[in-house]
Amino acid sequence: MNINTNYDNLEQSYLFSTIAKKVNEYIKSNPDKKVIRLGIGDVTLPLCKAVTDALHKAVDEMGVQSTFRGYGPEQGYDFLREAVQGYYKYHSVDLELDEIFISDGAKSDLGNILDLFGTDNTILVPDPVYPVYVDTNIMAGREVKFVDANQGNEFLPMPDKNVKADIIYICSPNNPTGAVYDKAKLKEWIDYAISNEAIILFDSAYECFISDETLPRSIYEIEGAKDCAIEFCSLSKTAGFTGTRCGYTIVPKNLGKLNKMWVRRQTTKFNGVPYIVQRGAEAVFSEEGQKEIKININYYKQNAKLISDTLKECGIWHVGGKHSPYIWLKCPNSMKSWEFFDYLLENAQIVGTPGSGFGKNGEGYFRLTSFGSYENTVEAMERFKKIFG
Ligand SMILES: *Cc1c(COP(=O)(O)O)cnc(C)c1O
């Protein structure tokens, strides 16, 4: 047998293991110091009541013969697809039910969707980037090109007509930078994709953090997107489903064969999200659920604002923190990412994530997140001001 040697081309990521090692060593030699983690990439607030009530009810249904459910539809139950359809409609996007696919999260679908594309496609990803986009393509042996995100473009890179690409990744609001595309900028990407006969894989995992009505929460709010884009969304960050697992992917019928191919792919390789989880997800889209998840999101956004305001006060350049749980800052005094990591841990006992771990353009930058508690964020920012204020 031959193994897939493309795996040899993956770069080892030591980012989070190195962070853990450094923090553990620091705590061991400084047991009296309180370390505050602002590098958390996972939500910390629990599921809201509307969701847990729906989960409980669904569990009970599963224990009664007349309401028990076995295999469900691979693309998701109609009750949840209708809820997603209604959610999009609220943002003025009309979707047909069979354009909506329920999944166990955006990460799986972002990887799985590549089953629909040949290995001879050229991939375009922004740098810095969520590592999943790059690694899933390296595994399949595809050529990956990078488009530079930097201070000059406020970490919102724009298409270059001289670069030919077939599959384009866009994440907005962005992880790791927190930067958000407006409609005009996304329209340029759509026009570029259409003229290249390319497809955009649009990751909208953080759409719920957008509070400015003029910013697009779905790429389909922009004309032409249904002809060139697949959208991936998830309840992970919006409703605390990182451990519960549920997301949805939109494959418009305007994309021709791709919609039917995705049906075939899913019915062949996937047996759907658990009924119980889908009932919990349905509750996220209820009036009560929407109210309750907003409270959690606003909690994170309050932390993000606090961090962003503190950085402003200290005169530290940054993006994000407004329509995103992430704040991406330029390391003070021209420090390199890891240098700043060590400095911040040593002098303020704050843990963040070195930007260099997300790509070469991340060097010299640093990611803070708003998923910590309010009290800890306040304390961390007071320490920050003492050093840099
Ligand atoms: C967290 C995150 C997701 C969500 O992944 P799930 O598999 O749904 O938990 C997707 N994209 C990005 C950029 C993320 O940061």
Side-chain angles (χ1 to χ4, degrees):
M1 63 93 192
N2 296 314
I3 59 166
N4 181 350
T5 52
N6 294 320
Y7 279 64
D8 297 337
N9 301 327
L10 292 167
E11 273 185 47
Q12 280 297 339
S13 175
Y14 298 109
L15 179 63
F16 290 100
S17 58
T18 309
I19 292 172
K21 195 168 142 249
K22 280 178 180 270
V23 173
N24 288 338
E25 277 167 12
Y26 181 84
I27 291 173
K28 224 183 199 166
S29 33
N30 302 277
D32 53 319
K33 294 266 170 66
K34 180 184 166 191
V35 171
I36 297 179
R37 290 167 204 269
L38 294 186
I40 307 169
D42 193 357
V43 293
T44 50
L45 295 171
L47 295 173
C48 68
K49 184 162 184 305
V51 170
T52 53
D53 283 350
L55 292 171
H56 281 296
K57 185 162 165 270
V59 168
D60 288 340
E61 284 177 46
M62 291 297 275
V64 174
Q65 176 131 36
S66 61
T67 50
F68 166 79
R69 311 260 187 149
Y71 288 124
E74 292 89 345
Q75 305 94 313
Y77 284 101
D78 277 355
F79 62 77
L80 181 52
R81 297 164 91 194
E82 280 161 13
V84 172
Q85 187 183 41
Y87 184 67
Y88 272 89
K89 185 140 190 83
Y90 183 74
H91 299 295
S92 308
V93 174
D94 287 311
L95 296 176
E96 288 177 44
L97 224 47
D98 47 5
E99 295 178 310
I100 301 167
F101 297 83
I102 306 303
S103 74
D104 62 347
K107 189 179 183 176
S108 337
D109 273 11
L110 281 160
N112 295 338
I113 200 79
L114 296 175
D115 275 11
L116 310 191
F117 303 101
T119 50
D120 52 351
N121 286 298
T122 299
I123 310 300
L124 192 65
V125 294
D127 171 356
V129 71
Y130 179 55
V132 173
Y133 310 152
V134 178
D135 288 354
T136 48
N137 281 293
I138 300 278
M139 286 173 182
R142 288 192 193 86
E143 187 196 348
V144 178
K145 287 184 189 169
F146 291 96
V147 51
D148 290 331
N150 49 42
Q151 215 168 325
N153 55 32
E154 304 247 307
F155 285 89
L156 294 170
M158 297 306 294
D160 175 350
K161 284 183 190 67
N162 301 316
V163 175
K164 168 101 187 84
D166 305 301
I167 299 175
I168 302 152
Y169 285 83
I170 298 176
C171 176
S172 175
N174 191 272
N175 179 11
T177 69
V180 194
Y181 281 103
D182 62 21
K183 286 185 183 169
K185 288 202 169 90
L186 271 189
K187 177 78 175 118
E188 282 190 45
W189 276 109
I190 290 166
D191 292 343
Y192 168 83
I194 290 173
S195 68
N196 266 280
E197 293 179 27
I199 194 145
I200 294 174
L201 302 182
F202 189 76
D203 185 343
S204 65
Y206 297 93
E207 57 88 15
C208 251
F209 286 82
I210 294 178
S211 42
D212 178 342
E213 288 294 314
T214 66
L215 293 172
R217 294 175 63 151
S218 161
I219 195 166
Y220 305 121
E221 289 176 45
I222 299 138
E223 206 198 312
K226 278 190 184 167
D227 300 322
C228 67
I230 296 176
E231 181 161 289
F232 302 84
C233 199
S234 164
L235 298 179
S236 282
K237 313 300 172 12
T238 63
F241 269 58
T242 49
T244 307
R245 313 301 311 143
C246 195
Y248 44 94
T249 295
I250 312 300
V251 186
K253 287 193 187 155
N254 283 10
L255 298 177
K257 276 173 82 169
L258 288 177
N259 177 282
K260 282 279 165 297
M261 283 169 70
W262 184 241
V263 173
R264 184 59 193 258
R265 191 268 169 213
Q266 290 299 78
T267 52
T268 304
K269 293 196 186 180
F270 184 55
N271 251 335
V273 177
Y275 171 72
I276 296 165
V277 171
Q278 291 193 56
R279 280 297 185 197
E282 180 191 22
V284 170
F285 298 104
S286 68
E287 204 177 307
E288 209 45 45
Q290 285 293 300
K291 242 188 258 162
E292 291 172 352
I293 65 161
K294 292 261 152 59
I295 295 171
N296 289 0
I297 287 167
N298 286 338
Y299 181 91
Y300 298 135
K301 286 183 63 149
Q302 185 185 16
N303 290 345
K305 183 172 187 315
L306 184 66
I307 297 171
S308 175
D309 287 348
T310 307
L311 293 176
K312 249 182 240 150
E313 230 182 288
C314 300
I316 296 172
W317 189 93
H318 64 284
V319 286
K322 199 160 184 194
H323 304 290
S324 159
Y326 300 120
I327 297 94
W328 181 256
L329 62 101
K330 183 161 172 48
C331 302
N333 309 322
S334 307
M335 276 187 253
K336 294 208 168 220
S337 298
W338 277 110
E339 212 182 324
F340 185 60
F341 176 92
D342 292 332
Y343 183 87
L344 208 54
L345 180 60
E346 197 63 46
N347 295 287
Q349 293 77 49
I350 297 170
V351 181
T353 313
S356 55
F358 298 101
K360 76 168 174 31
N361 289 327
E363 182 58 275
Y365 293 85
F366 202 74
R367 190 188 77 172
L368 294 176
T369 80
S370 64
F371 291 125
S373 74
Y374 178 68
E375 294 71 23
N376 279 347
T377 308
V378 169
E379 192 178 338
M381 289 303 103
E382 275 164 8
R383 295 180 191 173
F384 213 91
K385 270 191 263 185
K386 269 198 197 124
I387 302 176
F388 302 107

